[in-house]
């Protein structure tokens, strides 16, 4: 039912989902199959087995009519238009036998009972309905509205205000805990907003993460004992990277709040606090569907220390695009790769950062703060072993021993092509054995390597200028930079100290006047460039040898 | 130094005997570490292998790059346990240990009270027994 009504898809029970779910329950109880079409049938209202509580005792009438009654007012959504007719029918016969006192206050209490009797899946709806209670009451006998809605309105407000004091050393009142009793592990909207604001105060970028020490200081302020905080961290840091992303932070904060309210910490992270669930709930877009598809594959369920989930987790960390390699990725192999490649030379760091930025771009929500160069290398190795690189890499010549040394001639040719074609962006340089994650940053980072290799073989100006430019720009820029250095060699030293994006602007401007130069000058420049390139290539090869 | 951060045995009858065994095997571990010299970063060298077989059990050792030692005592009658399995168990331990390290509330050198770690160790031991 949860799936059919759409709650699974969106990740929560909104009013629409709730109504459909109830209708489906009625259908199931009447013996109809649980399908969307069943809602259209003329169904009796669902029957709920309710527990005894104050509401029921107070009003004395059996649960069934109460269960019936709350169904009545929800005729507000287009999906339930057919329900309106039902409601119309039901309301007449049902209302006379019921005392007006019973109906409105009883229905909110019925809401509370429903979650208790239906357990976890429905318990989310309970909280939703608490918000819905006031206007639901409105639909039924209006004279009761003031009292009941007033009392229920007060409750959520009370919970919010107590939330705001959650960090102070204060025992929460019992009232607010009853608000939680429907589902202590579900984060309400007010709570979420509060958590997000707190996150922002620690870390302005909502897509980024809070480091461990910052989070530690923050949560220590809550005055919970350290072992409990340690346990909370263990629960909420699902990917075990020593940092908290926004959903992880919300989960941790929520656990702190729950603990301060007297709730015992669970052994494993509840479903509603999983990052994937919180992500889906917060995003609320069609993108969620994609997320939901990818996340179950790549995230473990809670903190269960199973090999399989762990394997998936670690492998998902390495390669966000779920390539086939991940599925069989035994942790052993990964670990072996990780540690055995730990000794790669320092320049590899660039490659690792490249892969990592590419990875981050495609899965920005799971950025890793840990500088795990060895693990990034394993991506390369894993990819090498797993699949052919899509673009046939220019195999390094016998003289080139390191993957970082590209076929420089090809690069030059491409750059020369770009220059000849003028303003057109160059074709992406053929990548060496590199993961198939094709991002636009990669070519620029790849460019960085030849640049890094070339400085010893080139004039200082050229190399430093190129390096700066490449660090901050797409590949087309270096070509313009070369033109520039030919024409205005004096200006490059000025720009060399600036290694940031703004250096791209000065590069852009000179290009425009360059383009307007006469073709003769252009040709001269191009020949000069070609000559330079040839010498560069020779020197580079010598250098690597 | 060399105080235990975490110690767990299944079944728990001769626990004290195992504690003693582990403690004495630390000497062997130290000996192996000092014999290895400077190059300690290869994983093969992290796994120390069979430290010594005694009576009816075998002792395996593993040391991390931060000189945290894992010592495992297994029953000799458990002949099905191959070297690979021991290695994988140590790897799991190492991974769980690094996860604990990630926790900013954990001070290196403290006793390990992590429930996740406990669960992992228990499941591993259950698997073997």
């Amino acid at each position: 039912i949860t799936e059919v009504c759409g709650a699974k898809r969106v990740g929560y029970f909104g009013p629409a989902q709730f109504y459909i779910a109830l209708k489906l329950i009625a259908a199931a109880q009447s013996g109809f199959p649980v399908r969307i079409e069943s809602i259209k049938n003329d169904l009796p209202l669902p029957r709920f087995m309710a527990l005894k509580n104050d509401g029921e005792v107070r009003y004395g009438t059996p649960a069934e009519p109460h269960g019936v009654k709350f169904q009545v007012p929800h005729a507000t959504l287009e999906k339930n238009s057919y329900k309106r007719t039902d409601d119309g029918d039901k309301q007449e016969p049902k209302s006379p036998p019921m005392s007006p006192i019973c109906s409105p206050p009883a229905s909110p209490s019925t809401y509370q009972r429903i979650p208790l009797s239906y357990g976890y899946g429905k318990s989310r709806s309970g909280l939703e309905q608490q918000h819905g209670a006031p206007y639901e009451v409105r639909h039924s006998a209006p004279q009761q509205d003031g009292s009941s809605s007033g009392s229920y309105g007060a409750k959520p407000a009370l919970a919010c205000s107590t939330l705001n004091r959650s960090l102070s050393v204060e025992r929460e009142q019992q009232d607010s805990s009853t608000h939680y009793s429907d589902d202590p592990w579900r984060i309400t909207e007010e709570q979420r907003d509060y958590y997000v604001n707190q996150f922002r105060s620690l870390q302005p970028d909502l897509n980024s993460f809070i480091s461990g020490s910052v989070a530690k200081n923050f949560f220590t302020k809550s005055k919970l004992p350290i072992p409990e905080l340690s346990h909370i961290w263990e629960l909420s840091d699902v990917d075990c990277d020593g940092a908290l992303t926004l959903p992880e932070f919300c989960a941790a904060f929520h656990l702190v709040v729950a603990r301060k309210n007297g709730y015992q910490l669970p052994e494993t992270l509840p479903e509603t606090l999983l990052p994937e669930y919180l992500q889906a709930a917060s995003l609320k877009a069609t993108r969620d569907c994609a997320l939901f598809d990818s996340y179950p594959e790549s995230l473990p369920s809670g903190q269960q220390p199973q090999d399989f989930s762990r394997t998936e987790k670690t492998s998902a960390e390495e390669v966000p695009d779920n390539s086939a390699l991940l599925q069989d990725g035994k942790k052993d192999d990964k670990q072996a790769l990780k540690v055995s490649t730990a000794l790669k030379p320092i320049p590899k760091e660039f490659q690792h950062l490249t892969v990592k930025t590419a990875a981050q771009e495609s899965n920005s929500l799971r950025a890793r703060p840990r500088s795990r160069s060895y693990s990034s290398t394993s991506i390369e190795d894993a990819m090498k072993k797993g699949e052919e690189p899509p673009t046939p890499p220019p195999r390094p010549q016998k003289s080139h021993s390191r993957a970082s040394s590209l076929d420089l001639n090809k690069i030059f040719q491409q750059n020369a092509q770009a220059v000849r074609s003028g303003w057109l962006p160059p074709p992406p340089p053929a990548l060496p054995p590199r993961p198939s994650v094709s991002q636009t940053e990669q070519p620029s980072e790849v460019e960085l390597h030849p640049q890094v290799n070339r400085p010893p073989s080139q004039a200082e100006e050229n190399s430093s200028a190129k390096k700066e430019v490449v660090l901050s720009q797409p590949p087309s820029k270096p070509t313009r930079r070369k033109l520039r250095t030919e024409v205005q060699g004096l200006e490059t030293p000025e720009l060399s100290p600036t290694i940031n994006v703004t250096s791209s602007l000065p590069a852009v401007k000179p290009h425009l006047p360059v383009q307007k130069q006469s073709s003769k000058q252009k040709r001269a420049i191009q020949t000069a460039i070609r000559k330079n390139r040839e010498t560069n290539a020779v020197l580079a090869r010598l250098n690597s040898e | 130094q060399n105080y235990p951060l975490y110690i767990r045995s299944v079944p728990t009858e001769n626990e004290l005997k195992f504690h003693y065994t582990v403690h004495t095997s630390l000497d062997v571990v130290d000996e192996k570490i000092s014999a290895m010299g400077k190059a300690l970063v290869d994983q093969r060298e992290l796994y120390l292998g069979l430290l010594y077989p005694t009576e009816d059990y075998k002792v395996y050792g593993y040391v991390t790059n931060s000189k945290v030692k894992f010592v495992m005592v297994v029953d000799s009658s458990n002949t099905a346990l191959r070297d690979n399995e021991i290695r994988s168990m140590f790897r799991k331990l190492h991974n769980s240990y690094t996860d604990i390290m990630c926790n900013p509330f954990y001070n290196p050198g403290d006793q390990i009270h992590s429930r996740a770690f406990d669960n992992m160790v228990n499941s591993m031991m259950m698997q073997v027994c």
Side-chain angles (χ1 to χ4, degrees), chain A residues 68-338:
Chain A
V68 164
K69 199 56 184 172
F70 79 82
Q71 186 76 346
V72 171
H74 297 134
T76 48
L77 301 179
E78 61 279 11
K79 275 192 183 164
N80 301 314
S81 52
Y82 33 78
K83 251 210 248 173
R84 246 179 270 248
T85 55
D86 283 350
D87 294 341
D89 296 339
K90 300 284 190 273
Q91 196 152 20
E92 272 86 297
K94 290 293 180 189
S95 42
M98 304 204 17
S99 60
I101 303 170
C102 298
S103 54
S107 26
S109 63
T110 316
Y111 284 122
Q112 280 206 304
R113 287 200 293 258
I114 294 167
L116 291 174
S117 58
Y118 266 75
Y120 204 73
K122 284 289 196 178
S123 59
R124 299 181 216 156
S125 57
L127 277 178
E128 291 277 326
Q129 290 313 317
Q130 290 236 333
H131 297 297
Y135 80 77
E136 167 270 318
V137 165
R138 212 183 314 132
H139 287 277
S140 35
Q143 64 271 20
Q144 308 299 326
D145 280 356
S147 53
S148 52
S149 61
S151 67
Y152 275 90
K155 251 199 183 179
L158 183 63
C160 294
S161 58
T162 54
L163 267 178
N164 292 332
R165 298 192 307 251
S166 65
L167 270 189
S168 61
V169 188
E170 217 176 294
R171 197 85 188 152
E172 299 300 337
Q173 300 141 12
Q174 205 52 34
D175 309 358
S176 58
S177 66
T178 57
H179 182 77
Y180 281 88
S181 67
D182 292 326
D183 179 6
W185 307 120
R186 186 166 185 271
I187 302 184
T188 64
E189 284 308 307
E190 304 95 358
Q191 289 174 313
R192 166 177 296 282
D193 290 336
Y194 181 68
Y195 299 156
V196 170
N197 286 334
Q198 289 295 314
F199 186 95
R200 244 188 236 116
S201 73
L202 295 174
Q203 161 67 271
D205 180 10
L206 285 184
N207 281 332
S208 177
F209 37 77
I210 298 183
S211 72
S213 45
V214 171
K216 176 180 178 179
N217 294 334
F218 180 72
F219 285 117
T220 319
K221 281 191 252 170
S222 70
K223 306 267 196 321
L224 283 181
I226 295 289
E228 299 203 7
L229 288 172
S230 175
H231 185 61
I232 287 177
W233 177 278
E234 254 182 35
L235 288 178
S236 55
D237 190 6
V238 173
D239 44 21
C240 284
D241 59 356
L244 297 179
T245 60
L246 179 58
E248 289 175 345
F249 177 82
C250 291
F253 209 134
H254 196 71
L255 288 168
V256 168
V257 166
R259 185 79 189 95
K260 291 195 81 64
N261 285 344
Y263 281 91
Q264 286 303 315
L265 294 176
E267 283 294 322
T268 57
L269 197 63
E271 212 179 79
T272 48
L273 290 181
L274 286 173
E276 64 213 18
Y277 174 82
L278 291 173
Q279 288 284 345
S282 63
L283 289 171
K284 287 183 187 172
T286 54
R287 204 158 72 92
D288 291 1
C289 300
L291 272 178
F292 250 61
D293 295 335
S294 60
Y295 267 74
E297 296 169 31
S298 54
L299 280 181
S301 51
Q303 288 285 327
Q304 288 142 28
Q306 295 160 13
D307 252 14
F308 181 68
S309 61
R310 176 75 207 222
T311 308
E312 278 193 325
K313 192 166 54 167
T314 51
S315 50
E317 283 171 1
E318 312 302 344
V319 184
D321 54 330
N322 299 315
S323 66
L325 185 67
L326 291 179
Q327 302 313 319
D328 77 282
K330 288 190 166 218
K331 202 173 56 161
D332 309 348
D333 298 338
K334 286 266 174 239
Q335 288 300 321
L337 286 170
K338 278 182 190 178

Side-chain angles (χ1 to χ4, degrees), chain A residues 339-488:
Chain A
V339 185
S340 63
T341 54
L343 285 178
K344 287 283 164 70
I346 302 290
K348 287 282 183 189
E349 279 288 333
F350 282 115
Q351 294 183 10
H352 310 161
L353 289 175
T354 314
V355 179
K356 257 176 74 167
T357 48
Q360 277 180 352
E361 168 150 327
S362 62
N363 200 356
S364 61
L365 298 166
R366 297 158 35 69
R368 296 276 159 272
R370 254 203 298 213
S371 61
R372 303 197 294 192
S373 56
Y374 63 91
S375 59
S376 299
T377 323
S378 72
I379 306 173
E380 245 181 86
D381 294 341
M383 297 304 280
K384 274 188 214 171
K385 289 183 186 175
E387 45 187 345
E388 281 283 302
T391 54
R395 286 319 293 185
Q397 332 257 329
K398 42 197 180 313
S399 57
H400 302 308
S401 57
R402 303 200 306 205
S404 58
S405 52
L406 305 172
D407 188 346
L408 301 168
N409 276 333
K410 224 176 183 179
I411 301 285
F412 294 149
Q413 283 164 12
Q414 285 166 347
N415 283 341
Q417 269 176 355
V419 169
R420 272 179 239 119
S421 56
W423 191 252
L424 293 177
L431 300 177
R434 194 164 271 281
S436 60
V437 186
S438 52
Q439 304 284 345
T440 49
E441 281 92 18
Q442 272 206 338
S444 72
E445 296 298 333
V446 162
E447 282 279 357
L448 179 63
H449 295 298
Q451 310 298 358
V452 170
N453 286 334
R454 269 189 249 154
S457 60
Q458 268 188 355
E460 308 316 312
E461 320 180 325
N462 273 350
S463 62
S464 58
K466 266 183 227 130
K467 228 200 295 191
E468 268 82 273
V469 168
V470 168
L471 272 174
S472 55
Q473 297 160 17
S476 55
K477 300 287 170 96
T479 66
R480 291 200 294 279
R481 177 57 94 190
K482 282 180 197 161
L483 288 172
R484 203 176 172 287
T485 55
E486 292 302 319
V487 175
Q488 298 149 356

Side-chain angles (χ1 to χ4, degrees), chain B residues 67-116:
Chain B
K67 294 287 188 295
V68 176
K69 304 166 190 74
F70 298 128
V71 178
M72 198 184 316
V73 179
V74 291
D75 209 11
S76 283
S77 55
N78 228 335
T79 49
L81 272 186
R82 294 192 317 273
D83 198 50
N84 279 342
E85 291 168 13
I86 304 282
R87 278 182 196 267
S88 67
M89 284 165 74
F90 274 128
R91 221 171 281 127
K92 268 188 255 177
L93 277 172
H94 197 169
N95 284 336
S96 303
Y97 181 70
T98 48
D99 284 346
I100 290 177
M101 279 292 145
C102 285
N103 190 334
F105 297 104
Y106 174 76
N107 299 315
D110 285 353
Q111 298 259 324
I112 294 178
H113 292 293
S114 150
R115 278 176 239 187

Side-chain angles (χ1 to χ4, degrees), chain B residues 4 6-26 52 54-60 71-78 125 129:
Chain B
Y6 185 84
I7 189 155
R8 176 69 61 90
S9 45
V10 164
T12 52
E13 304 112 20
N14 290 335
E15 202 163 355
L16 204 54
K17 183 177 110 177
F18 292 127
H19 289 200
Y20 179 70
T21 313
V22 167
H23 191 78
T24 53
S25 63
L26 285 176
Y52 65 96
T54 29
E55 307 166 22
D56 44 5
Y57 52 82
K58 305 184 189 138
V59 183
Y60 293 93
V71 178
M72 198 184 316
V73 179
V74 291
D75 209 11
S76 283
S77 55
N78 228 335
M125 292 203 279
C129 299

Side-chain angles (χ1 to χ4, degrees), chain A residues 50-57 60-61 113 116:
Chain A
L51 305 175
K52 284 231 185 269
N53 67 7
D54 286 350
E56 194 176 30
V57 169
T61 45
R113 287 200 293 258
L116 291 174

